[in-house]
DNA sequence: GGTGTGCACGTTGTATACACACTGCACACG
DNA sequence: CGTGTGCAGTGTGTATACAACGTGCACACC
């Protein structure tokens, strides 16, 4: 299924070095849920299953630590990070802060919606109709990402992107397994775009607020 | 001088492992300016000067890359990152977004200024009077940090902290070498605190805006 | 004289070997 | 029977050895 299609900001298009292979393999396994939360990862075992030595695996684990996939306990190793409901709520609160800033700036500069957003929304509706929730979720990410890229500066956009691996797994679950909020999501997206076109920051932010508040509440229901 | 007093959030109090030593040594050297911007760092050379083998040095470099101290060019090595005036401005814009969110939330919840802030400001004024600009700069960091810790959630506070190494060097230079804005800085800090105590978000944010806008303009003057 | 090719050197990327710390269990002692 | 200590096993932390790639210079050829 390959969820983390593009690399989390940093080294452009890195060659398929062993270290990169290890990073992709392990991160994907964590996202897919191969390793349980709280589980300790064995470097030698990972090395075997990835097909390299321990060195690239260690580098991958350090990177995964920087991206909050795992915790690093000295002399114990890497532990798959447990994401609490509280943290998930904080992540969405943070998203709200960053995306609001982006929307506000877009409106203040009267720039309208980002290019290509129409296509993204159309694709989303198609995926929704086909009940292809993985694609739906990825396009949702793309929509929000494009808002931030359009409105925020590079530095802020990088911070936003760093947030993604921290909630993507549960986000997919929510969309996939939850009560199908498809219509709500699509409507709110379109309302945000409309507000941007009208340079109406207040409305855009308000809809976004509502949009981003709903999700962690749903998630809370799931995590029990 | 030891600028990066506390560790950039993550592994609590890690034992003085070789890897940590390497990280501290190299990051400090970069902050102090031992290595020129754009310079490539030689792993073997660093290993010799740190007193370890290449392995811990490599891990340190990866971490420094994650924190944007260096760029990692495949097959070429680690390059001390060049911080442009544009990026510096973006960093301050980002700080403004995060700190504003923190101030707003503090006011909305009518919590007043963070505990200990009075002491920090007093220490700052003392350092300012003694023309100890390094201490002054560090306390300035602490002041802003405490605002964010007080108002923002853990996740957002972590993002904020990740920003610090990216501007701390120039920030120190600006305070140290610039026209002494001491009174201005101290006054604005006190105005922000007063606004917090009065639960007046609008004023707090407005003063902060002015406070954070001034710095990158000064920096721009320096970088030429 | 300019340009292209080939070789030698240096550096990164990876593998492997070794040292040391931690964990858990077993056994002895109170 | 409970508790503390010792020991073996396992896995991380570090060092070192090797391989592969990229760079720059020199020399030859056009």
């Amino acid at each position: 299924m390959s969820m983390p299609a593009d690399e989390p900001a940093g080294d452009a298009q890195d060659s398929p070095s062993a270290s990169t292979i290890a990073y992709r393999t392990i991160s994907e396994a964590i996202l897919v849920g191969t390793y349980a939360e709280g589980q300790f990862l064995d470097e030698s075992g990972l090395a075997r299953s990835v097909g390299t030595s321990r060195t690239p695996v260690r580098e991958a684990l350090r990177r995964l630590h920087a991206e909050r996939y795992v915790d690093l306990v000295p002399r114990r190793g890497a532990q798959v990070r447990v994401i609490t409901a509280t943290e998930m709520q904080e992540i969405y609160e943070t998203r709200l802060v960053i995306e609001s800033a982006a929307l506000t700036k877009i409106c203040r500069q009267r720039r309208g919606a980002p290019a290509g957003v129409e296509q993204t929304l159309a694709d989303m509706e198609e995926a929704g109709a086909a009940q292809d929730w993985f694609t739906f979720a990825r396009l949702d990410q793309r929509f929000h990402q494009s808002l931030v890229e359009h409105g925020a500066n590079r530095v802020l956009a990088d911070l936003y992107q760093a947030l993604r691996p921290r909630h993507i797994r549960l986000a997919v679950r929510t969309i996939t397994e939850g009560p199908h909020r498809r219509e709500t999501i699509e409507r709110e997206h379109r309302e945000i775009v409309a507000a941007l076109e009208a340079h109406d920051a207040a409305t855009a932010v308000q809809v976004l607020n509502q949009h981003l508040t709903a999700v962690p509440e749903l998630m809370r229901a799931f995590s029990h």
Side-chain angles (χ1 to χ4, degrees), chain A:
Chain A
M1 54 162 285
S2 116
M3 209 51 214
D6 30 24
E7 289 282 278
D11 15 37
Q13 89 281 33
D14 34 14
S15 59
S17 65
S19 177
T20 305
I21 305 285
Y23 170 78
R24 295 215 185 109
T25 308
I26 300 171
S27 65
E28 189 156 325
I30 290 177
L31 289 180
V32 169
T34 306
Y35 307 120
E37 291 191 336
Q39 178 179 347
F40 276 94
L41 303 178
D42 175 52
E43 293 182 358
S44 307
L46 290 176
R48 263 194 308 278
S49 77
V50 173
T52 67
S53 77
R54 273 179 57 212
T55 308
V57 168
R58 277 181 70 85
E59 297 205 342
L61 289 176
R62 300 308 158 116
R63 184 167 168 187
L64 291 169
H65 170 63
E67 293 168 5
R68 298 284 192 273
Y69 280 86
V70 300
D71 282 334
L72 244 43
V73 184
R75 286 269 163 211
R76 289 285 316 267
Q79 183 177 206
V80 178
R81 195 125 189 291
V82 181
I83 301 181
T84 65
T86 303
E87 184 180 356
M88 194 54 69
Q89 184 153 357
E90 291 182 357
I91 290 172
Y92 271 81
E93 212 176 307
T94 302
R95 279 188 59 181
L96 181 60
V97 168
I98 297 178
E99 294 187 39
S100 294
L103 293 186
T104 303
K105 199 168 160 194
I106 292 173
C107 288
R108 194 168 51 230
Q109 302 184 353
R110 309 195 170 285
R111 275 194 267 147
V117 78
E118 195 54 46
Q119 184 63 50
T120 302
L121 291 185
D123 291 347
M124 252 187 101
E125 282 158 15
E126 190 181 335
Q131 309 219 345
D132 178 357
W133 303 120
F134 279 121
T135 305
F136 191 80
R138 198 176 56 226
L139 290 170
D140 180 71
Q141 298 276 351
R142 181 184 297 175
F143 172 74
H144 288 277
Q145 181 82 30
S146 71
L147 292 182
V148 173
E149 300 275 355
H150 190 53
N153 62 53
R154 219 16 320 155
V155 171
L156 188 54
D158 279 354
L159 290 189
Y160 180 80
Q161 202 169 12
L163 228 46
R164 191 162 53 132
R166 300 177 68 166
H167 71 281
I168 189 171
R169 176 162 42 142
L170 270 187
V172 168
R173 274 193 61 195
T174 303
I175 291 180
T176 306
E177 304 172 15
H180 291 335
R181 306 200 316 119
R182 182 194 150 198
E183 285 85 1
T184 308
I185 293 173
E186 291 173 352
R187 179 170 42 75
E188 286 168 343
H189 282 183
R190 293 218 171 268
E191 284 177 21
I192 290 171
V193 169
L196 287 182
E197 294 294 355
H199 311 308
D200 180 357
T203 301
V205 169
Q206 186 224 317
V207 175
L208 180 74
N209 188 348
Q210 178 180 329
H211 187 63
L212 288 183
T213 305
V215 183
E217 283 171 6
L218 282 176
M219 285 180 177
R220 196 179 290 272
F222 272 118
S223 53
H224 300 306

